Amino acid sequence: MEGHVLQNTDKLIEHIFPDSVLPVSVDNVYTNLSTFSLRRRNHFRFSSMLRTWIGCPNLRRQSKNGDVENEFASFITNLVADIAAVAPNCPRCNRKVTAEFAPSGLYNRVPGEPSHRHPDILLFDAGLERKWETVLFSWELKCDDNMDNRKTAQRQVVEVARIIYEAQDDRRFVPALTVLGYNVILHIIDRAGEISSQAFDIREDPKLFLRLVLGFMFASKETLGFDSAFRKLPDGTRDMTVAGKTYTIIERVYHSHSICGRGTSCWRATREGRTYAIKDCWQDKSRACTEADFLRKAKGVEGVPNLVDDETVQVQGSKEDSTYCVRPAARIEQHEKNGGHINYRVHRRMVFEPFGVPITWFKTKKELIGAMRDVIRAHGDLTEKTGIIHRDISINNVMLIDASEEGNGHRKGLLIDLDYATDYPEPADRQTSRAERTGTLPFMAVDLLRGWGNVQHKPEWDLESLLYVTIWICIFYDGPNNMARNLAVKGTPLAAWTQGEFLTISSCKVGSMGYNWDITVGWFSEYFEDLKPCISEWRDLFFDKPASHRTHAVVLSILDKTYDQLPDVEAPVAAKDAPVPQSDATPAPRQTLLPHVSLGAFEDPAVGEVTVRSQAQKSVCEVHGSDAEPRTPAQGVKRVRVNSVVADDANYYTESGIAPSHVGTSTSSSTGARHPRFTSPPQSRRSPSPRPVLYGNSELSPTTRTQESRAFSSSGSNKRVRF
């Protein structure tokens, strides 16, 4: 998290827990506890000879399978009871402190997301099942305050924060404590990174410790980083309020798997009988225009989502919610005066229609090519009619929507996610955030990768990106309805598109799209055999023809010709080694997905995470493999930011996020197309996991239909199907 962590922040605890958010006065509680009846064992007593918390365990003792953690949890519980006894006006505490998950053991895990983490202390609301979906906060204990323990404890609270973000969709930020002997540090983990307080001794500054306890145990959930727009109803359903309107949440269809960055979440929701997609994200404040601004400008353009509502989230009544809320202004000014930079991200929400499904759920090749035509037309209209250029074409940003007016039953294409769009032609003095280039790494155009300085994005670069999206699908999918191959990116020529310096990636793309094109095409799935001539002709425009041919009209003419030749109905396509289609009563096999990084970094479940860093004008990508089960290699490398930074290959931070600590590191190849293992395509490699039989243009099986419905969303990128 180098470059995105503010440590030793003075007055952070008072900033997060000011007197106004506490139920009782810290001074009054301190005075009353100091003189409280000696029959109570857990309270702070002042003595001219000794300052100590009576009842607090020896925090410098090495824990034996959770014993110190349990004693400290009991101490906090008793301290809260004493606070209630000495402060009659204090409300009832409905939060519980537990160390039950501290002891290591295979069966002593927090229920929920698979994780090997054993947090020392967790806080829950009373009466709720204790699992990751209900965890409020975590505290980590170490027996001594030294540099190694500080780093370890910091990493642990960040890892727990990542899991909390994964499991809960109503978190704005996550507070945590590290207890190092008797020294305590407050950590706040949000979409701009982490900020931590100065360490203090709970015996030397008992009032500050009381402020922390009062804050964690009694402050409102909004104060502690929860989003007040969400509400759980008596029947177990939830709703959320956007721009003063209430929407019933059907399901969360997508969420970013990183901590820092846009932190996008998307939901399918209904209101007054209509279905909508709701997108929640933390947008870069430095951008001149927001995604909502561009969508309002693009209103009426076919093939682009319709913006129904949008808002900047308000907290504490009428205060704009941003990553600056948890950072004292003086600390920000001092940090930036010293040459640092803090990401200023503003919390925004948007409501869209229609709903969409990821492009990989196409039912026939004709529907796939038709959707690409629709997206190219939409891109052309955006550029030529409204003066907007997308700049982030990827497999995640091309969707399918129902088109009931079409007689052939084919769905239409939808181009989403204008968060990194800009005006076209781009203003020479534009300030659209710190990145000089944006894009999704394996889909970035060759000339864009070669560019330096204030790069002016060209429309033909987005058309080239759509070509790479189509190639990606042809290599990593066996057929329609999201039928992914059991094929890791790092074992294909496309691995060279995802790692290395920008110039190296550019050279590899020229090789695989030029003199090694036959090898690249040889990796196409058998199902896409009849698309090879079309894609080869499309490829010729960008690697054999003059630049003047790289227009929307020319690309459309190629796709139109192919579209007319493709049949409306295809023979059923079945995955190899697949069982008989499952009935409604049989649950679909759950796809294990790597917790991957958000809308701002490489995200491909087959290869892991790829991040980009810049040092002396070098952007270096690191590919991190996964130790999870085979997974869909569908969603590509997400946003390359020139100024991104990575720390190490175990747990790194970028503008987009923190990768899981359990990923491994694969070696990179600067010329992937020449690598011996790339000389021939795989021999029909299939996933060994059970799959239902999927049909081309016919009705989906009940299980598959359910899976597809869960994939619908038109409100963000990196759409992921959750089984």
Side-chain angles (χ1 to χ4, degrees):
M1 299 183 71
E2 183 181 357
H4 296 269
V5 175
L6 282 177
Q7 296 179 332
N8 298 316
T9 302
D10 188 31
K11 303 297 183 182
L12 177 63
I13 296 173
E14 293 87 343
H15 179 75
I16 299 297
F17 299 125
D19 291 341
S20 59
V21 305
L22 302 180
V24 291
S25 165
V26 174
D27 289 337
N28 289 342
V29 171
Y30 169 72
T31 300
N32 292 337
L33 279 179
S34 298
T35 58
F36 194 36
S37 171
L38 295 180
R39 290 177 296 176
R40 307 290 299 196
R41 298 186 62 247
N42 296 323
H43 60 279
F44 181 82
R45 289 189 64 212
F46 175 78
S47 168
S48 59
M49 301 295 295
L50 179 66
R51 299 177 67 91
T52 185
W53 283 98
I54 299 175
C56 181
N58 180 3
L59 296 177
R60 288 180 175 169
R61 177 165 54 90
Q62 185 70 44
S63 175
K64 295 181 179 178
N65 206 26
D67 61 340
V68 175
E69 290 86 347
N70 272 296
E71 292 173 17
F72 187 71
S74 298
F75 164 66
I76 297 296
T77 300
N78 291 328
L79 177 59
V80 169
D82 284 350
I83 291 173
V86 302
N89 294 330
C90 187
R92 178 182 176 184
C93 180
N94 291 317
R95 292 169 191 163
K96 300 297 182 183
V97 183
T98 180
E100 62 185 289
F101 301 106
S104 59
L106 180 63
Y107 300 103
N108 188 39
R109 295 181 179 179
V110 185
E113 175 176 319
S115 172
H116 297 287
R117 289 289 303 116
H118 291 274
D120 293 336
I121 301 285
L122 289 177
L123 281 74
F124 294 90
D125 279 328
L128 294 183
E129 181 183 357
R130 295 178 180 179
K131 53 185 179 179
W132 282 119
E133 288 82 355
T134 59
V135 168
L136 299 179
F137 328 103
S138 72
W139 299 350
E140 292 292 336
L141 276 62
K142 303 296 176 187
C143 63
D144 190 20
D145 186 1
N146 56 50
M147 188 59 67
D148 288 342
N149 281 345
R150 282 201 179 197
K151 289 182 177 180
T152 300
Q154 179 197 25
R155 184 183 70 250
Q156 289 172 341
V157 296
V158 169
E159 288 175 350
V160 170
R162 184 192 64 79
I163 298 171
I164 290 175
Y165 276 125
E166 281 283 314
Q168 303 174 27
D169 56 5
D170 59 348
R171 302 302 288 253
R172 298 164 37 242
F173 61 84
V174 179
L177 284 185
T178 54
V179 182
L180 311 167
Y182 290 97
N183 288 344
V184 171
I185 300 174
L186 171 66
H187 303 258
I188 303 293
I189 301 98
D190 68 0
R191 301 303 181 179
E194 179 199 351
I195 183 169
S196 59
S197 71
Q198 294 177 330
F200 73 94
D201 191 314
I202 65 174
R203 302 165 303 179
E204 297 299 321
D205 199 340
K207 289 185 180 180
L208 197 56
F209 183 58
L210 278 174
R211 184 176 294 274
L212 276 177
V213 173
L214 285 169
F216 273 101
M217 302 304 294
F218 294 99
S220 70
K221 283 195 168 184
E222 184 181 63
T223 299
L224 291 161
F226 284 83
D227 196 328
S228 60
F230 292 81
R231 182 179 61 168
K232 189 169 184 178
L233 305 178
D235 62 359
T237 61
R238 295 190 307 155
D239 62 25
M240 66 186 300
T241 302
V242 183
K245 300 174 184 176
T246 301
Y247 296 83
T248 301
I249 298 175
I250 304 303
E251 62 181 337
R252 185 188 191 186
V253 294
Y254 168 77
H255 66 281
S256 171
H257 296 270
S258 73
I259 292 179
C260 192
R262 288 195 294 175
T264 302
S265 285
C266 303
W267 299 267
R268 179 160 64 102
T270 60
R271 182 175 181 271
E272 297 179 351
R274 296 178 67 92
T275 300
Y276 300 94
I278 300 177
K279 177 179 179 178
D280 180 287
C281 63
W282 295 76
Q283 295 180 337
D284 194 329
K285 179 70 172 180
S286 65
R287 294 191 57 78
C289 295
T290 67
E291 181 178 8
D293 293 332
F294 285 121
L295 286 172
R296 276 188 285 269
K297 188 177 178 181
K299 185 176 181 180
V301 174
E302 187 175 0
V304 176
N306 175 43
L307 179 67
V308 176
D309 256 321
D310 71 288
E311 69 172 0
T312 298
V313 177
Q314 305 292 309
V315 294
Q316 300 173 9
S318 59
K319 184 178 180 181
E320 178 183 84
D321 191 17
S322 74
T323 55
Y324 272 28
C325 286
V326 300
R327 288 163 172 78
R331 188 69 173 95
I332 295 173
E333 294 171 3
Q334 183 63 39
H335 182 72
E336 296 188 339
K337 185 182 296 184
N338 294 335
H341 181 85
I342 299 174
N343 285 338
Y344 189 174
R345 293 188 172 274
V346 179
H347 192 187
R348 295 194 172 105
R349 286 199 189 96
M350 290 164 283
V351 181
F352 305 92
E353 60 177 358
F355 224 58
V357 63
I359 186 63
T360 57
W361 285 88
F362 63 90
K363 296 178 181 177
T364 64
K365 291 185 287 290
K366 188 162 190 170
E367 185 174 77
L368 171 63
I369 294 299
M372 289 296 177
R373 293 193 312 171
D374 297 333
V375 167
I376 291 172
R377 292 192 190 101
H379 184 274
D381 289 344
L382 279 175
T383 305
E384 297 163 11
K385 296 181 180 180
T386 66
I388 298 172
I389 187 167
H390 192 281
R391 301 199 311 161
D392 186 25
I393 298 294
S394 75
I395 194 171
N396 308 303
N397 294 338
V398 181
M399 310 288 283
L400 291 166
I401 58 172
D402 287 330
S404 56
E405 70 277 6
E406 298 290 337
N408 57 15
H410 294 155
R411 291 168 293 183
K412 299 181 70 67
L414 185 74
L415 180 62
I416 67 167
D417 196 0
L418 298 183
D419 196 32
Y420 282 87
T422 190
D423 294 322
Y424 180 79
E426 295 184 47
D429 59 345
R430 66 175 172 86
Q431 291 184 350
T432 57
S433 80
R434 294 180 297 142
E436 295 170 347
R437 288 171 284 179
T438 64
T440 301
L441 195 55
F443 310 112
M444 290 175 71
V446 168
D447 288 342
L448 177 58
L449 290 167
R450 289 174 174 172
W452 293 105
N454 190 11
V455 177
Q456 302 294 308
H457 205 99
K458 299 178 181 180
E460 56 262 35
W461 291 350
D462 284 350
L463 294 177
E464 186 178 340
S465 294
L466 283 168
L467 168 62
Y468 299 141
V469 168
T470 309
I471 292 172
W472 193 275
I473 292 172
C474 291
I475 289 180
F476 292 112
Y477 287 83
D478 266 331
N481 301 314
N482 205 47
M483 190 184 295
R485 301 170 82 178
N486 182 27
L487 189 61
V489 175
K490 61 184 178 182
T492 73
L494 272 57
W497 298 8
T498 66
Q499 54 188 312
E501 299 179 7
F502 279 0
L503 291 179
T504 301
I505 297 172
S506 174
S507 298
C508 291
K509 275 192 174 181
V510 170
S512 56
M513 298 296 291
Y515 54 82
N516 280 329
W517 175 243
D518 288 343
I519 294 177
T520 304
V521 172
W523 281 78
F524 278 27
S525 169
E526 181 181 352
Y527 172 79
F528 295 104
E529 182 70 27
D530 46 359
L531 292 189
K532 288 182 178 179
C534 168
I535 297 175
S536 293
E537 189 175 356
W538 190 352
R539 165 255 172 211
D540 292 344
L541 290 181
F542 294 92
F543 293 91
D544 286 343
K545 299 290 181 66
S548 59
H549 290 194
R550 302 165 192 171
T551 66
H552 295 86
V554 175
V555 176
L556 283 172
S557 67
I558 295 173
L559 298 184
D560 287 344
K561 180 174 59 178
T562 302
Y563 182 84
D564 293 338
Q565 295 173 352
L566 291 170
D568 289 329
V569 180
E570 295 178 351
V573 178
K576 298 296 186 293
D577 304 320
V580 177
Q582 303 173 51
S583 67
D584 287 336
T586 306
R590 182 172 179 83
Q591 183 182 11
T592 303
L593 299 175
L594 176 70
H596 40 285
V597 293
S598 77
L599 313 176
F602 182 18
E603 181 170 349
D604 188 297
V607 71
E609 283 81 16
V610 173
T611 342
V612 181
R613 62 184 173 189
S614 174
Q615 185 177 10
Q617 292 192 331
K618 290 184 178 181
S619 297
V620 183
C621 298
E622 296 186 0
V623 182
H624 295 263
S626 166
D627 60 356
E629 300 172 12
R631 33 183 95 73
T632 310
Q635 322 302 359
V637 181
K638 193 59 189 167
R639 195 142 301 103
V640 174
R641 307 304 301 273
V642 168
N643 294 328
S644 297
V645 179
V646 297
D648 55 49
D649 45 38
N651 225 330
Y652 58 84
Y653 172 95
T654 68
E655 198 271 358
S656 60
I658 299 171
S661 61
H662 58 269
V663 296
T665 304
S666 61
T667 57
S668 61
S669 170
S670 61
T671 55
R674 297 180 179 178
H675 196 286
R677 66 183 177 186
F678 296 155
T679 55
S680 61
Q683 300 299 315
S684 187
R685 293 154 65 178
R686 300 292 193 271
S687 171
S689 59
R691 294 178 180 271
V693 178
L694 307 179
Y695 298 93
N697 196 36
S698 59
E699 186 69 18
L700 299 175
S701 68
T703 299
T704 306
R705 190 162 53 249
T706 300
Q707 295 167 357
E708 182 181 279
S709 70
R710 292 179 61 83
F712 274 83
S713 176
S714 66
S715 56
S717 58
N718 284 339
K719 299 302 172 294
R720 177 75 58 212
V721 180
R722 290 280 188 185
F723 293 147

